[in-house]
Amino acid sequence: MALKDEWKETGKGLGDAFKGLAKNVGRSVKTGLDIDNDDESNVFSDGSWRETGKGLGKAFKGLAKSIVDSAEEGIDKLDGDDKKEEK
């Protein structure tokens, strides 16, 4: 995958992860404010936060991979430039 495409996927993954985080924060506030709600299935018990955590973990793992791949490509480019100058 080209580095540009990898960064597009990274951005999409981060956007999706933060969208899920915002959604669960909103649902948590709503659940906390709804005193009369005795519904046992809410954002705290339905696994939403677990999925949000997994999504954030995956997104940040993708971010780290993109950063490392970019650094490696930059180093390879610098090494190639050094070899050209030696000739």
Side-chain angles (χ1 to χ4, degrees):
M1 176 184 308
L3 197 55
K4 182 178 178 180
D5 294 331
E6 183 177 338
W7 274 104
K8 283 183 182 181
E9 287 296 315
T10 297
K12 184 181 179 312
L14 286 168
D16 290 344
F18 280 105
K19 179 181 174 183
L21 176 63
K23 181 179 177 181
N24 278 328
V25 168
R27 288 182 61 209
S28 295
V29 169
K30 183 179 177 189
T31 299
L33 294 176
D34 192 7
I35 297 171
D36 296 331
N37 187 2
D38 291 334
D39 185 15
E40 302 238 349
S41 176
N42 60 42
V43 71
F44 300 109
S45 63
D46 67 359
S48 296
W49 277 109
R50 180 179 306 274
E51 290 304 313
T52 298
K54 287 179 183 179
L56 285 167
K58 183 178 177 182
F60 282 112
K61 183 178 178 181
L63 176 62
K65 182 181 181 315
S66 294
I67 290 170
V68 168
D69 289 347
S70 294
E72 287 175 348
E73 187 170 302
I75 290 169
D76 290 345
K77 184 174 190 242
L78 287 173
D79 286 344
D81 290 344
D82 288 344
K83 289 179 183 176
K84 287 179 186 176
E85 289 178 7
E86 289 176 3
K87 290 182 179 183

